[in-house]
Coordinates of all heavy atoms in Angstrom, one line a residue:
M217 N -16.7 -26.1 -13.9 CA -16.3 -24.7 -13.4 C -17.4 -23.8 -13.6 O -18.2 -23.9 -14.4 CB -15.0 -24.3 -14.3 CG -14.2 -23.2 -13.5 SD -12.6 -22.9 -14.3 CE -13.2 -21.8 -15.5
M218 N -17.5 -22.8 -12.7 CA -18.5 -21.8 -12.6 C -18.4 -20.9 -13.9 O -17.3 -20.5 -14.3 CB -18.2 -21.1 -11.4 CG -19.4 -20.4 -10.8 SD -18.9 -19.4 -9.4 CE -19.2 -20.6 -8.1
T219 N -19.5 -20.4 -14.4 CA -19.5 -19.4 -15.4 C -19.4 -18.0 -14.8 O -19.7 -17.8 -13.7 CB -20.8 -19.5 -16.3 OG1 -21.9 -19.1 -15.4 CG2 -21.0 -20.9 -16.9
H220 N -19.2 -17.1 -15.7 CA -19.0 -15.7 -15.2 C -20.4 -15.2 -14.7 O -20.5 -14.6 -13.6 CB -18.7 -14.7 -16.4 CG -17.3 -14.8 -16.7 ND1 -16.6 -13.8 -17.4 CD2 -16.3 -15.7 -16.5 CE1 -15.3 -14.1 -17.5 NE2 -15.1 -15.2 -17.0
E221 N -21.5 -15.7 -15.3 CA -22.8 -15.3 -14.9 C -23.1 -15.9 -13.5 O -23.7 -15.2 -12.7 CB -23.9 -15.8 -15.9 CG -23.9 -15.0 -17.2 CD -23.9 -13.5 -16.9 OE1 -24.7 -13.0 -16.2 OE2 -23.1 -12.8 -17.5
A222 N -22.7 -17.1 -13.3 CA -23.0 -17.8 -12.0 C -22.1 -17.0 -10.9 O -22.7 -16.9 -9.8 CB -22.6 -19.2 -12.1
L223 N -21.0 -16.6 -11.3 CA -20.2 -15.9 -10.3 C -20.9 -14.5 -9.9 O -20.9 -14.2 -8.8 CB -18.8 -15.7 -10.9 CG -17.8 -15.0 -10.0 CD1 -17.6 -15.8 -8.7 CD2 -16.5 -14.8 -10.6
K224 N -21.4 -13.8 -11.0 CA -22.0 -12.6 -10.7 C -23.3 -12.8 -10.0 O -23.6 -12.0 -9.0 CB -22.4 -11.9 -12.1 CG -21.2 -11.2 -12.8 CD -21.7 -10.6 -14.0 CE -20.5 -10.1 -14.8 NZ -20.9 -9.5 -16.1
E225 N -24.0 -13.9 -10.2 CA -25.2 -14.2 -9.4 C -24.8 -14.4 -7.9 O -25.5 -13.9 -7.0 CB -25.9 -15.4 -9.9 CG -27.3 -15.5 -9.6 CD -27.9 -16.8 -10.0 OE1 -27.8 -17.1 -11.2 OE2 -28.6 -17.4 -9.3
K226 N -23.7 -15.1 -7.7 CA -23.2 -15.4 -6.4 C -22.9 -14.0 -5.7 O -23.3 -13.8 -4.5 CB -21.9 -16.1 -6.5 CG -21.7 -17.1 -5.3 CD -20.5 -17.9 -5.7 CE -20.0 -18.8 -4.6 NZ -21.0 -19.5 -3.8
V227 N -22.3 -13.0 -6.4 CA -22.1 -11.8 -5.8 C -23.3 -11.0 -5.4 O -23.5 -10.4 -4.4 CB -21.2 -10.9 -6.8 CG1 -21.0 -9.5 -6.2 CG2 -19.9 -11.5 -7.0
N228 N -24.3 -11.1 -6.4 CA -25.7 -10.5 -6.1 C -26.3 -11.1 -4.9 O -26.9 -10.4 -4.1 CB -26.6 -10.6 -7.3 CG -26.3 -9.5 -8.3 OD1 -26.1 -8.3 -7.9 ND2 -26.3 -9.8 -9.5
N229 N -26.3 -12.4 -4.7 CA -26.8 -13.1 -3.6 C -26.3 -12.6 -2.3 O -26.9 -12.4 -1.3 CB -26.7 -14.6 -3.7 CG -27.7 -15.2 -4.8 OD1 -28.6 -14.5 -5.2 ND2 -27.4 -16.3 -5.3
W230 N -24.9 -12.6 -2.3 CA -24.2 -12.0 -1.1 C -24.6 -10.6 -0.8 O -24.7 -10.2 0.4 CB -22.7 -12.2 -1.2 CG -22.2 -13.6 -0.8 CD1 -21.6 -14.6 -1.5 CD2 -22.2 -14.1 0.6 NE1 -21.3 -15.6 -0.7 CE2 -21.6 -15.3 0.6 CE3 -22.6 -13.5 1.9 CZ2 -21.4 -16.1 1.7 CZ3 -22.4 -14.3 3.0 CH2 -21.8 -15.6 2.9
A231 N -24.6 -9.8 -1.8 CA -25.0 -8.4 -1.7 C -26.3 -8.2 -1.0 O -26.4 -7.4 -0.1 CB -24.9 -7.7 -3.0
K232 N -27.3 -9.0 -1.4 CA -28.6 -9.0 -0.8 C -28.5 -9.3 0.8 O -29.1 -8.6 1.6 CB -29.6 -10.0 -1.5 CG -30.3 -9.2 -2.6 CD -31.3 -10.2 -3.3 CE -31.3 -10.1 -4.7 NZ -31.6 -11.2 -5.5
K233 N -27.8 -10.4 1.0 CA -27.6 -10.9 2.4 C -26.9 -9.8 3.3 O -27.4 -9.6 4.3 CB -26.7 -12.1 2.3 CG -26.9 -13.0 3.5 CD -26.2 -14.3 3.2 CE -26.1 -15.2 4.4 NZ -25.4 -16.5 4.1
I234 N -26.0 -9.1 2.7 CA -25.2 -8.1 3.4 C -25.9 -6.8 3.5 O -25.7 -6.0 4.4 CB -23.8 -8.0 2.8 CG1 -23.0 -9.3 3.1 CG2 -23.0 -6.8 3.4 CD1 -21.7 -9.4 2.4
G235 N -26.9 -6.5 2.5 CA -27.5 -5.3 2.4 C -26.8 -4.2 1.7 O -26.9 -3.1 2.1
V236 N -26.1 -4.5 0.7 CA -25.4 -3.5 -0.1 C -25.7 -3.6 -1.5 O -26.3 -4.7 -1.9 CB -23.8 -3.6 0.0 CG1 -23.4 -3.2 1.4 CG2 -23.4 -5.1 -0.4
K237 N -25.5 -2.5 -2.3 CA -25.9 -2.6 -3.7 C -24.7 -2.2 -4.6 O -24.4 -1.0 -4.8 CB -27.1 -1.6 -4.0 CG -28.4 -2.1 -3.5 CD -29.6 -1.4 -4.3 CE -30.9 -2.1 -4.1 NZ -31.5 -1.8 -2.9
P238 N -24.0 -3.1 -5.1 CA -22.9 -2.8 -5.9 C -23.4 -2.1 -7.3 O -24.5 -2.5 -7.8 CB -22.2 -4.2 -6.2 CG -23.0 -5.2 -5.7 CD -24.1 -4.6 -4.9
L239 N -22.7 -1.1 -7.7 CA -23.1 -0.4 -8.8 C -23.0 -1.2 -10.1 O -23.8 -1.3 -11.0 CB -22.2 0.9 -9.0 CG -22.7 1.9 -10.0 CD1 -23.9 2.6 -9.6 CD2 -21.5 3.0 -10.2
E240 N -21.8 -1.9 -10.1 CA -21.5 -2.8 -11.3 C -20.7 -3.9 -10.8 O -19.9 -3.9 -9.8 CB -20.7 -2.1 -12.3 CG -21.4 -1.0 -13.1 CD -20.3 -0.2 -13.8 OE1 -19.2 -0.6 -14.0 OE2 -20.7 1.0 -14.2
I241 N -20.9 -5.1 -11.5 CA -20.1 -6.4 -11.1 C -19.3 -6.7 -12.3 O -20.0 -7.0 -13.4 CB -20.9 -7.4 -10.6 CG1 -21.7 -7.0 -9.3 CG2 -20.0 -8.6 -10.2 CD1 -22.8 -7.9 -8.9
H242 N -18.0 -6.8 -12.3 CA -17.3 -7.3 -13.5 C -16.4 -8.5 -13.2 O -15.9 -8.6 -12.0 CB -16.3 -6.2 -13.9 CG -17.0 -4.9 -14.4 ND1 -17.4 -4.8 -15.7 CD2 -17.4 -3.8 -13.7 CE1 -18.0 -3.6 -15.8 NE2 -18.1 -3.0 -14.6
V243 N -16.3 -9.3 -14.1 CA -15.5 -10.5 -14.0 C -14.4 -10.5 -15.1 O -14.8 -10.4 -16.3 CB -16.3 -11.9 -14.1 CG1 -15.3 -13.1 -14.0 CG2 -17.3 -11.9 -13.0
R244 N -13.2 -10.4 -14.7 CA -12.2 -10.3 -15.7 C -10.8 -10.7 -15.1 O -10.7 -10.9 -13.9 CB -12.1 -8.9 -16.4 CG -11.7 -7.8 -15.4 CD -11.3 -6.5 -16.1 NE -11.1 -5.4 -15.2 CZ -9.9 -5.2 -14.6 NH1 -8.9 -6.0 -14.8 NH2 -9.8 -4.2 -13.8
R245 N -9.8 -10.8 -16.0 CA -8.5 -11.1 -15.5 C -7.9 -10.0 -14.8 O -8.1 -8.8 -15.2 CB -7.6 -11.5 -16.6 CG -7.9 -12.8 -17.2 CD -6.8 -13.2 -18.2 NE -7.0 -14.6 -18.4 CZ -6.4 -15.6 -17.7 NH1 -5.6 -15.3 -16.7 NH2 -6.6 -16.9 -18.0
M246 N -7.3 -10.2 -13.6 CA -6.6 -9.1 -12.9 C -5.2 -9.5 -12.6 O -4.9 -10.8 -12.5 CB -7.4 -8.9 -11.5 CG -8.8 -8.4 -11.7 SD -9.7 -8.2 -10.1 CE -9.0 -6.6 -9.5
S247 N -4.3 -8.5 -12.5 CA -3.0 -8.9 -12.4 C -2.4 -9.1 -10.9 O -1.6 -10.0 -10.7 CB -2.0 -7.9 -13.0 OG -2.4 -6.6 -12.6
R248 N -2.9 -8.3 -10.0 CA -2.2 -8.3 -8.7 C -3.1 -8.8 -7.5 O -2.6 -9.1 -6.4 CB -1.7 -6.9 -8.3 CG -0.3 -6.9 -8.8 CD 0.3 -5.5 -8.4 NE 1.0 -4.9 -9.6 CZ 0.4 -4.0 -10.4 NH1 -0.9 -3.7 -10.2 NH2 1.0 -3.5 -11.4
K249 N -4.4 -8.8 -7.7 CA -5.3 -9.3 -6.6 C -6.5 -10.0 -7.1 O -6.8 -10.1 -8.3 CB -5.7 -8.0 -5.8 CG -6.1 -6.9 -6.5 CD -6.2 -5.7 -5.6 CE -6.6 -4.4 -6.4 NZ -6.9 -3.3 -5.5
W250 N -7.2 -10.7 -6.2 CA -8.4 -11.5 -6.5 C -9.6 -10.7 -6.9 O -10.5 -11.1 -7.6 CB -8.6 -12.5 -5.4 CG -7.7 -13.5 -5.4 CD1 -6.8 -13.8 -4.3 CD2 -7.5 -14.6 -6.3 NE1 -6.0 -14.9 -4.7 CE2 -6.4 -15.4 -5.9 CE3 -8.1 -14.9 -7.5 CZ2 -6.0 -16.5 -6.6 CZ3 -7.7 -16.0 -8.3 CH2 -6.6 -16.8 -7.9
A251 N -9.7 -9.5 -6.3 CA -10.9 -8.7 -6.5 C -10.6 -7.3 -6.0 O -9.6 -7.0 -5.3 CB -12.0 -9.2 -5.6
S252 N -11.5 -6.3 -6.5 CA -11.3 -4.9 -6.0 C -12.7 -4.3 -6.0 O -13.7 -4.8 -6.5 CB -10.4 -4.2 -7.0 OG -11.1 -4.0 -8.1
C253 N -12.7 -3.2 -5.2 CA -14.0 -2.5 -5.0 C -13.7 -1.0 -5.1 O -12.8 -0.5 -4.4 CB -14.5 -2.8 -3.7 SG -16.0 -1.8 -3.2
S254 N -14.3 -0.4 -6.1 CA -13.9 1.1 -6.3 C -14.8 1.9 -5.3 O -15.8 1.4 -4.8 CB -14.3 1.6 -7.7 OG -15.7 1.7 -7.8
S255 N -14.4 3.2 -5.1 CA -15.2 4.0 -4.2 C -16.6 4.2 -4.7 O -17.5 4.6 -3.9 CB -14.4 5.3 -4.0 OG -14.2 5.9 -5.2
R256 N -16.8 4.1 -6.0 CA -18.1 4.2 -6.6 C -19.0 3.1 -6.4 O -20.2 3.1 -6.8 CB -18.0 4.8 -8.0 CG -17.5 6.2 -8.1 CD -17.5 6.6 -9.6 NE -18.7 6.5 -10.3 CZ -19.0 5.8 -11.4 NH1 -18.1 5.0 -11.8 NH2 -20.1 5.8 -11.9
G257 N -18.4 2.0 -6.0 CA -19.2 0.7 -5.9 C -19.1 -0.3 -7.0 O -20.0 -1.2 -7.1
R258 N -18.0 -0.2 -7.8 CA -17.9 -1.2 -8.8 C -17.0 -2.3 -8.3 O -15.9 -2.1 -7.8 CB -17.2 -0.5 -10.0 CG -16.7 -1.5 -11.0 CD -15.5 -0.9 -11.9 NE -16.1 0.0 -12.9 CZ -16.0 -0.2 -14.2 NH1 -15.2 -1.2 -14.6 NH2 -16.5 0.6 -15.1
I259 N -17.5 -3.5 -8.4 CA -16.8 -4.7 -7.9 C -16.2 -5.4 -9.1 O -16.9 -5.7 -10.0 CB -17.8 -5.6 -7.1 CG1 -18.5 -5.0 -5.9 CG2 -17.1 -6.9 -6.7 CD1 -17.8 -5.0 -4.7
T260 N -15.0 -5.7 -9.0 CA -14.3 -6.5 -10.0 C -13.7 -7.7 -9.4 O -13.1 -7.7 -8.4 CB -13.2 -5.6 -10.7 OG1 -13.7 -4.4 -11.1 CG2 -12.7 -6.4 -11.9
I261 N -14.0 -8.8 -10.0 CA -13.5 -10.2 -9.5 C -12.6 -10.8 -10.6 O -13.0 -10.9 -11.8 CB -14.6 -11.1 -9.2 CG1 -15.7 -10.4 -8.3 CG2 -14.2 -12.3 -8.5 CD1 -16.1 -10.9 -7.0
H262 N -11.5 -11.3 -10.2 CA -10.6 -12.0 -11.2 C -11.2 -13.3 -11.6 O -11.6 -14.2 -10.8 CB -9.3 -12.3 -10.2 CG -8.2 -12.9 -11.1 ND1 -8.2 -13.0 -12.5 CD2 -6.9 -13.3 -10.8 CE1 -7.1 -13.6 -12.9 NE2 -6.3 -13.7 -11.9
S263 N -11.3 -13.5 -12.9 CA -11.9 -14.6 -13.5 C -11.3 -15.9 -13.1 O -11.9 -17.0 -13.0 CB -11.9 -14.5 -15.0 OG -10.7 -14.2 -15.5
E264 N -10.0 -15.9 -12.7 CA -9.3 -17.2 -12.3 C -9.9 -17.7 -11.0 O -9.6 -18.8 -10.6 CB -7.9 -16.9 -12.2 CG -7.1 -16.7 -13.5 CD -7.1 -17.9 -14.4 OE1 -6.6 -18.9 -13.9 OE2 -7.7 -17.9 -15.5
I265 N -10.5 -16.9 -10.3 CA -11.0 -17.3 -8.9 C -12.0 -18.5 -9.1 O -12.1 -19.3 -8.1 CB -11.7 -16.2 -8.1 CG1 -11.7 -16.3 -6.7 CG2 -13.2 -16.0 -8.6 CD1 -12.2 -15.2 -5.9
M266 N -12.6 -18.6 -10.2 CA -13.5 -19.8 -10.5 C -12.9 -21.1 -10.3 O -13.5 -22.1 -10.2 CB -14.3 -19.6 -11.7 CG -15.1 -18.3 -11.7 SD -16.1 -18.0 -13.1 CE -14.9 -17.3 -14.2
K267 N -11.6 -21.2 -10.4 CA -10.8 -22.4 -10.3 C -10.7 -22.8 -8.8 O -10.1 -23.9 -8.5 CB -9.5 -22.3 -11.0 CG -9.6 -22.2 -12.4 CD -8.2 -22.0 -13.1 CE -8.4 -21.8 -14.5 NZ -7.1 -21.3 -15.1
H268 N -11.0 -22.0 -7.9 CA -10.8 -22.2 -6.5 C -12.0 -22.7 -5.8 O -13.1 -22.6 -6.2 CB -10.3 -20.9 -5.8 CG -8.9 -20.5 -6.2 ND1 -7.8 -20.9 -5.5 CD2 -8.4 -20.0 -7.4 CE1 -6.7 -20.5 -6.1 NE2 -7.0 -19.9 -7.2
P269 N -11.8 -23.3 -4.5 CA -12.9 -23.8 -3.8 C -14.0 -22.8 -3.4 O -13.5 -21.6 -3.3 CB -12.3 -24.4 -2.6 CG -10.9 -24.5 -2.8 CD -10.6 -23.5 -3.9
K270 N -15.2 -23.2 -3.3 CA -16.3 -22.3 -2.9 C -16.0 -21.4 -1.7 O -16.3 -20.2 -1.8 CB -17.5 -23.2 -2.8 CG -18.8 -22.4 -2.4 CD -20.0 -23.3 -2.0 CE -21.1 -22.6 -1.6 NZ -21.0 -21.9 -0.3
K271 N -15.4 -22.0 -0.8 CA -15.1 -21.3 0.5 C -14.2 -20.1 0.2 O -14.5 -19.0 0.7 CB -14.3 -22.2 1.5 CG -15.2 -22.6 2.6 CD -14.3 -23.3 3.7 CE -15.0 -23.3 5.0 NZ -14.2 -24.1 6.0
F272 N -13.3 -20.2 -0.6 CA -12.4 -19.2 -0.9 C -13.1 -18.1 -1.8 O -12.9 -16.8 -1.5 CB -11.1 -19.7 -1.7 CG -10.2 -18.5 -2.1 CD1 -9.3 -18.0 -1.2 CD2 -10.1 -18.1 -3.5 CE1 -8.5 -17.0 -1.5 CE2 -9.2 -17.1 -3.8 CZ -8.4 -16.6 -2.8
I273 N -13.9 -18.5 -2.7 CA -14.7 -17.5 -3.6 C -15.6 -16.7 -2.7 O -15.7 -15.5 -2.7 CB -15.5 -18.3 -4.6 CG1 -14.5 -19.0 -5.5 CG2 -16.3 -17.3 -5.4 CD1 -15.3 -20.0 -6.5
D274 N -16.3 -17.3 -1.7 CA -17.2 -16.6 -0.8 C -16.4 -15.6 0.0 O -16.8 -14.5 0.2 CB -17.8 -17.6 0.1 CG -19.0 -18.4 -0.5 OD1 -19.5 -17.9 -1.6 OD2 -19.4 -19.4 0.0
K275 N -15.2 -16.0 0.5 CA -14.4 -15.2 1.3 C -14.0 -13.9 0.6 O -14.2 -12.8 1.1 CB -13.1 -15.9 1.7 CG -12.3 -15.3 2.8 CD -11.1 -16.1 3.1 CE -9.9 -15.2 3.5 NZ -8.6 -15.7 3.3
V276 N -13.6 -14.0 -0.7 CA -13.2 -12.9 -1.5 C -14.4 -11.9 -1.8 O -14.4 -10.7 -1.6 CB -12.6 -13.3 -2.8 CG1 -12.4 -12.2 -3.8 CG2 -11.2 -14.0 -2.5
I277 N -15.6 -12.6 -2.1 CA -16.8 -11.8 -2.4 C -17.2 -11.0 -1.2 O -17.5 -9.8 -1.3 CB -17.9 -12.7 -2.9 CG1 -17.6 -13.3 -4.3 CG2 -19.3 -12.0 -3.0 CD1 -18.6 -14.4 -4.8
V278 N -17.3 -11.7 0.0 CA -17.8 -11.0 1.2 C -16.9 -9.9 1.5 O -17.3 -8.8 1.9 CB -17.9 -12.1 2.4 CG1 -18.1 -11.3 3.7 CG2 -19.1 -13.0 2.1
H279 N -15.6 -10.1 1.4 CA -14.6 -9.1 1.7 C -14.8 -7.8 0.9 O -14.9 -6.7 1.4 CB -13.2 -9.7 1.5 CG -12.1 -8.7 1.9 ND1 -11.5 -8.8 3.1 CD2 -11.6 -7.5 1.4 CE1 -10.6 -7.8 3.3 NE2 -10.6 -7.0 2.2
E280 N -14.9 -8.0 -0.4 CA -15.1 -6.8 -1.3 C -16.4 -6.1 -1.0 O -16.6 -4.9 -1.0 CB -15.0 -7.2 -2.8 CG -13.6 -7.6 -3.1 CD -12.5 -6.7 -2.7 OE1 -12.7 -5.4 -2.7 OE2 -11.5 -7.2 -2.4
L281 N -17.5 -6.9 -0.8 CA -18.9 -6.3 -0.6 C -18.9 -5.5 0.7 O -19.5 -4.5 0.8 CB -19.9 -7.3 -0.7 CG -20.3 -7.9 -2.0 CD1 -21.3 -9.1 -1.9 CD2 -20.8 -6.9 -3.0
L282 N -18.2 -6.0 1.7 CA -18.2 -5.3 3.0 C -17.5 -3.9 2.8 O -17.8 -3.0 3.6 CB -17.5 -6.1 4.1 CG -18.4 -7.1 4.8 CD1 -17.6 -8.0 5.7 CD2 -19.6 -6.4 5.5
H283 N -16.6 -3.8 1.8 CA -16.0 -2.5 1.6 C -17.0 -1.4 1.1 O -16.7 -0.3 1.2 CB -14.8 -2.7 0.6 CG -13.5 -3.0 1.3 ND1 -13.1 -2.5 2.4 CD2 -12.6 -4.0 1.0 CE1 -11.9 -3.0 2.8 NE2 -11.6 -4.0 1.9
L284 N -18.2 -1.9 0.6 CA -19.2 -0.9 0.3 C -19.8 -0.3 1.5 O -20.4 0.8 1.5 CB -20.2 -1.6 -0.6 CG -19.8 -2.2 -2.0 CD1 -21.0 -2.9 -2.6 CD2 -19.3 -1.0 -2.9
K285 N -19.6 -1.0 2.7 CA -20.1 -0.4 3.9 C -18.9 0.2 4.7 O -19.1 1.3 5.3 CB -20.6 -1.6 4.8 CG -22.0 -2.0 4.5 CD -22.6 -2.8 5.6 CE -24.1 -3.0 5.4 NZ -24.6 -3.9 6.5
Y286 N -17.8 -0.5 4.7 CA -16.6 0.1 5.4 C -15.4 0.1 4.5 O -14.9 -1.0 4.1 CB -16.3 -0.9 6.7 CG -17.4 -1.1 7.5 CD1 -18.2 -2.3 7.3 CD2 -17.8 -0.2 8.5 CE1 -19.3 -2.5 8.2 CE2 -19.0 -0.4 9.3 CZ -19.7 -1.5 9.2 OH -20.8 -1.8 10.0
P287 N -14.8 1.3 4.3 CA -13.7 1.4 3.4 C -12.4 0.7 4.0 O -11.5 0.2 3.3 CB -13.5 2.9 3.2 CG -14.4 3.6 4.1 CD -15.4 2.6 4.7
N288 N -12.4 0.7 5.3 CA -11.1 0.1 5.9 C -11.4 -1.2 6.6 O -12.5 -1.6 6.8 CB -10.6 1.1 7.0 CG -10.5 2.5 6.4 OD1 -9.8 2.7 5.4 ND2 -11.1 3.4 7.1
H289 N -10.3 -1.8 7.0 CA -10.4 -3.1 7.7 C -10.6 -2.9 9.2 O -9.7 -3.4 10.0 CB -9.2 -4.0 7.4 CG -9.0 -4.2 5.9 ND1 -7.9 -4.2 5.3 CD2 -10.0 -4.5 5.0 CE1 -8.1 -4.5 4.0 NE2 -9.3 -4.7 3.7
G290 N -11.5 -2.0 9.6 CA -11.6 -1.7 11.1 C -12.3 -2.9 11.8 O -12.5 -3.9 11.3
K291 N -12.6 -2.5 13.1 CA -13.2 -3.5 13.9 C -14.5 -4.1 13.4 O -14.7 -5.3 13.3 CB -13.4 -3.0 15.3 CG -13.6 -4.1 16.4 CD -13.7 -3.6 17.8 CE -13.9 -4.9 18.6 NZ -14.2 -4.5 20.0
M292 N -15.4 -3.2 13.0 CA -16.7 -3.7 12.5 C -16.6 -4.5 11.2 O -17.3 -5.5 11.1 CB -17.6 -2.5 12.3 CG -18.4 -2.0 13.4 SD -19.2 -3.3 14.4 CE -20.5 -3.8 13.2
F293 N -15.7 -4.1 10.4 CA -15.4 -4.8 9.2 C -15.1 -6.3 9.5 O -15.6 -7.2 9.0 CB -14.2 -4.1 8.3 CG -13.9 -4.8 7.0 CD1 -14.5 -4.3 5.9 CD2 -13.1 -5.9 7.0 CE1 -14.3 -4.9 4.7 CE2 -12.8 -6.6 5.8 CZ -13.4 -6.1 4.6
K294 N -14.2 -6.4 10.5 CA -13.7 -7.8 10.8 C -14.7 -8.6 11.5 O -14.9 -9.8 11.3 CB -12.4 -7.7 11.6 CG -11.2 -7.3 10.7 CD -9.9 -7.2 11.4 CE -8.8 -7.0 10.4 NZ -7.7 -6.3 10.9
V295 N -15.5 -8.0 12.3 CA -16.6 -8.7 13.0 C -17.6 -9.2 12.1 O -17.9 -10.4 12.1 CB -17.2 -7.7 14.0 CG1 -18.6 -8.2 14.5 CG2 -16.3 -7.5 15.3
L296 N -18.0 -8.4 11.2 CA -19.0 -8.7 10.1 C -18.4 -9.8 9.2 O -19.1 -10.8 8.8 CB -19.5 -7.6 9.3 CG -20.4 -6.7 10.1 CD1 -20.9 -5.4 9.3 CD2 -21.7 -7.4 10.5
E297 N -17.2 -9.7 8.7 CA -16.6 -10.5 7.9 C -16.6 -12.0 8.4 O -16.9 -13.0 7.8 CB -15.2 -10.1 7.5 CG -14.5 -11.0 6.4 CD -13.1 -10.5 6.1 OE1 -12.3 -10.2 7.1 OE2 -12.8 -10.5 4.9
R298 N -16.2 -12.0 9.7 CA -16.2 -13.2 10.5 C -17.6 -13.9 10.6 O -17.8 -15.1 10.4 CB -15.5 -13.0 11.8 CG -15.0 -14.3 12.4 CD -14.4 -14.0 13.8 NE -13.1 -13.3 13.6 CZ -12.7 -12.3 14.3 NH1 -13.5 -11.8 15.3 NH2 -11.5 -11.7 14.1
A299 N -18.6 -13.0 10.9 CA -19.9 -13.5 11.1 C -20.5 -14.0 9.8 O -21.1 -15.2 9.8 CB -20.8 -12.3 11.6
Y300 N -20.4 -13.3 8.7 CA -20.9 -13.8 7.4 C -20.2 -15.1 6.9 O -20.9 -16.0 6.3 CB -20.8 -12.8 6.3 CG -21.8 -11.7 6.5 CD1 -21.4 -10.3 6.6 CD2 -23.2 -12.0 6.5 CE1 -22.4 -9.3 6.8 CE2 -24.2 -11.0 6.6 CZ -23.8 -9.7 6.8 OH -24.7 -8.7 6.9
L301 N -19.0 -15.2 7.2 CA -18.3 -16.4 6.8 C -18.4 -17.5 7.8 O -17.7 -18.6 7.6 CB -16.9 -16.1 6.3 CG -16.8 -15.1 5.2 CD1 -15.4 -14.6 5.0 CD2 -17.2 -15.8 3.9
N302 N -19.1 -17.3 8.9 CA -19.1 -18.3 10.0 C -17.8 -18.8 10.5 O -17.6 -19.9 10.7 CB -20.0 -19.5 9.6 CG -21.4 -19.1 9.5 OD1 -21.9 -18.4 10.4 ND2 -22.1 -19.5 8.4
K303 N -16.9 -17.9 10.6 CA -15.5 -18.3 11.0 C -15.4 -18.2 12.5 O -16.0 -17.3 13.1 CB -14.5 -17.4 10.4 CG -13.8 -17.8 9.1 CD -12.6 -17.1 8.8 CE -12.8 -15.8 8.1 NZ -11.5 -15.1 7.8
K304 N -14.7 -19.2 13.0 CA -14.5 -19.2 14.5 C -13.2 -18.3 14.7 O -12.5 -18.1 13.8 CB -14.3 -20.6 15.0 CG -15.6 -21.4 14.8 CD -15.5 -22.8 15.4 CE -16.7 -23.6 15.1 NZ -16.5 -24.4 13.9
K305 N -13.1 -17.8 15.9 CA -12.0 -17.0 16.3 C -10.7 -17.8 16.0 O -9.7 -17.4 15.5 CB -12.0 -16.6 17.6 CG -12.8 -15.3 17.7 CD -12.8 -14.6 19.1 CE -13.7 -13.5 19.3 NZ -13.8 -13.0 20.7
Ligands
ZN77 ZN1 -9.9 -5.2 2.0

């Protein structure tokens, strides 16, 4: 299983790729969701996510990081999310 540090490094790598700078990255237990992004740029990831496949982890990370660019799930958000995750329509 991945360590907290490895997970944070993964977030940093994606942040570079996407061109955003999260203020802080936290890994801890969360009750209702897999991850969150505050308006100030603090990314929190549920520690339990490390039990899931890489694809799912990437999906959650990319989603939260894109919120540093776009607060809503608008058209550009969805286009970029799909592009970064190489998803087909
Ligand atoms: Zn979202």
Side-chain angles (χ1 to χ4, degrees):
M217 205 168 80
M218 208 185 261
T219 63
H220 284 204
E221 286 313 308
L223 184 61
K224 284 183 188 178
E225 201 184 313
K226 211 171 175 39
V227 175
N228 274 321
N229 288 340
W230 271 113
K232 269 181 215 148
K233 201 167 170 181
I234 293 171
V236 291
K237 282 201 168 78
L239 190 69
E240 295 167 15
I241 302 164
H242 296 272
V243 178
R244 63 168 175 84
R245 290 188 161 270
M246 295 178 80
S247 50
R248 271 181 229 91
K249 41 192 181 177
W250 286 112
S252 71
C253 173
S254 81
S255 55
R256 290 181 57 240
R258 171 201 279 242
I259 302 273
T260 308
I261 310 229
H262 188 2
S263 46
E264 291 293 301
I265 205 173
M266 294 184 281
K267 293 176 182 166
H268 288 261
K270 182 186 174 289
K271 252 190 161 177
F272 180 73
I273 299 173
D274 283 340
K275 191 180 150 206
V276 169
I277 292 174
V278 168
H279 186 100
E280 293 311 324
L281 287 174
L282 277 175
H283 274 313
L284 296 177
K285 280 192 169 182
Y286 307 98
N288 307 308
H289 301 136
K291 196 173 180 191
M292 274 314 288
F293 183 96
K294 285 183 176 151
V295 166
L296 285 176
E297 187 180 43
R298 199 176 290 138
Y300 282 121
L301 297 168
N302 287 318
K303 265 198 276 185
K304 297 185 184 93
K305 277 188 185 169

